[in-house]
Amino acid sequence: MSTPSGPPEGGDQNHAPMLRAVLGTELALATIIVALRLFCRLRLTRSPGWDDWIMLATFTCAVVGTTMDLVGMTYGIGRHVYYLRHEDAVFATKLAWLCQAFVITALTIGKVSVAFFVLRLSNTKWHFYFLHTINVTLGLINVPLIIWTYAQCRPSALLWDPTLPGECQDPKKQGSFAIFQGYDGTSLMIWYTTEMYVIIIAGSLPTLRPLFQKTVSVYRSRKQRSSHGYQSYDHTPHEMQPYRKKKHTNTSILCTKNQDNERSDDSEVLASNAEGITKTVDITFASSPGVEEGKKWERWEEEHFGERGTREHERV
């Protein structure tokens, strides 16, 4: 932060509302995706791994960094320093600088989490050495970057309060972190925040496949039950159909058998036709026909019609 010599072109423009909308939306979406990821790994598949815990750490760093930016907007982030009180400008700039450590960390370990996820899918030697080489390279680049970010000024507080005694490296080398020098800081903040949350969301979406499959399965199951909820009796499965047998002799007898296998109704109906008197036996069982019911029917048939009648009935 440097002391401005005059008002900027365009006057006092406040980009904080737009920044809040972008950061808030990305934070909310990432929160939902990460929560669903943990639900899938901990409850559905019960197979959490290093990629999940590293992504959780990534999300934590992103939340801390975003919170600092949102709080800093209350003190002036999104406005030019010319229009801010010195105390507010110092505090807002301090939050913006401290946020960088969490942003750089999230960008680094988020990519490491994706690498571990790929290794779960294909853990060949080639993938193993290649991806871990990338992970080590990311660490070798970004850990010194975090240290240099705060070591470029002595004391580090000069980064957010230029009125303090001390010295810094050439401000042009700091370049991209100048939050209050013009309005370039607004685009920079949107850029690194979006990149951070894209890594979190894109790295977590593939882990939601079990949840998607389960949701589709439940939907199809409910749809099938709904479409078959009002079936007629004739469309019930064969094993649930009533058990019936008919026999023609000299007397018509109607026997209905209940679920307790006890005869509930016996009646004899005599009817005349051209050939004489016909005996019709109609036995209905509410339970499913099985071996026991078949044996009981055969014993009843032999008892009433004899062995000859049974054979004739089988031929019919």
Side-chain angles (χ1 to χ4, degrees):
M1 184 182 71
S2 60
T3 304
S5 58
E9 296 181 3
D12 187 9
Q13 300 181 20
N14 188 2
H15 296 276
M18 183 261 293
L19 289 172
R20 289 192 185 96
V22 174
L23 272 61
T25 301
E26 293 175 344
L27 174 59
L29 185 57
T31 301
I32 295 172
I33 297 299
V34 172
L36 292 176
R37 173 181 185 145
L38 295 177
F39 174 78
C40 287
R41 289 296 176 88
L42 297 177
R43 297 295 299 274
L44 293 184
T45 63
R46 299 183 183 276
S47 59
W50 279 106
D51 57 324
D52 301 304
W53 306 126
I54 296 175
M55 186 58 76
L56 181 60
T58 303
F59 175 72
T60 303
C61 291
V63 171
V64 174
T66 302
T67 302
M68 287 184 174
D69 283 337
L70 292 173
V71 173
M73 293 174 198
T74 305
Y75 291 89
I77 290 182
R79 296 176 63 195
H80 197 278
V81 68
Y82 179 83
Y83 300 100
L84 303 179
R85 294 188 308 165
H86 177 73
E87 296 79 8
D88 292 342
V90 169
F91 186 70
T93 309
K94 181 178 181 180
L95 289 177
W97 276 101
L98 294 179
C99 169
Q100 301 310 311
F102 294 96
V103 171
I104 296 172
T105 302
L107 292 173
T108 303
I109 64 177
K111 297 170 185 175
V112 173
S113 173
V114 174
F116 273 95
F117 173 74
V118 174
L119 287 176
R120 292 183 64 161
L121 301 178
S122 178
N123 192 13
T124 63
K125 288 185 177 180
W126 184 85
H127 285 149
F128 179 86
Y129 290 114
F130 175 74
L131 292 174
H132 281 303
T133 299
I134 293 178
N135 292 338
V136 172
T137 303
L138 288 172
L140 292 176
I141 293 175
N142 290 294
V143 171
L145 176 60
I146 295 174
I147 297 174
W148 175 83
T149 298
Y150 302 104
Q152 59 183 309
C153 288
R154 298 183 181 182
S156 298
L158 276 174
L159 291 169
W160 49 83
D161 189 356
T163 62
L164 296 175
E167 60 180 4
C168 287
Q169 298 180 14
D170 187 352
K172 294 182 180 180
K173 296 181 180 179
Q174 303 173 21
S176 60
F177 295 106
I179 300 299
F180 292 102
Q181 303 307 307
Y183 295 106
D184 294 337
T186 299
S187 300
L188 174 65
M189 184 176 295
I190 293 177
W191 178 266
Y192 69 66
T193 303
T194 301
E195 181 182 0
M196 184 171 57
Y197 284 118
V198 164
I199 292 175
I200 294 173
I201 295 172
S204 297
L205 283 177
T207 67
L208 305 185
R209 183 181 179 185
L211 179 61
F212 174 77
Q213 292 175 332
K214 184 176 180 63
T215 302
V216 173
S217 176
V218 171
Y219 172 76
R220 289 177 177 175
S221 177
R222 290 181 177 178
K223 187 176 181 180
Q224 291 175 356
R225 287 199 299 267
S226 176
S227 61
H228 294 83
Y230 298 96
Q231 289 181 330
S232 63
Y233 187 75
D234 292 336
H235 291 83
T236 54
H238 174 72
E239 60 271 13
M240 298 302 296
Q241 294 284 351
Y243 180 60
R244 302 183 178 207
K245 284 193 177 184
K246 292 186 177 181
K247 180 74 176 179
H248 296 280
T249 57
N250 291 331
T251 306
S252 178
I253 301 177
L254 177 63
C255 299
T256 302
K257 207 162 190 180
N258 59 16
Q259 293 182 351
D260 296 330
N261 296 326
E262 296 179 357
R263 184 176 299 174
S264 60
D265 181 44
D266 287 333
S267 60
E268 292 188 2
V269 180
L270 300 179
S272 299
N273 56 25
E275 298 179 359
I277 300 176
T278 301
K279 178 179 180 181
T280 301
V281 179
D282 190 341
I283 298 179
T284 302
F285 298 99
S287 58
S288 302
V291 177
E292 290 297 328
E293 295 295 344
K295 291 181 179 180
K296 289 181 181 180
W297 164 251
E298 292 176 358
R299 289 197 297 268
W300 188 91
E301 191 176 37
E302 291 176 0
E303 180 180 328
H304 288 76
F305 309 116
E307 189 174 343
R308 178 181 177 184
T310 303
R311 288 196 300 269
E312 291 178 354
H313 177 71
E314 292 174 350
R315 287 198 296 271
V316 173

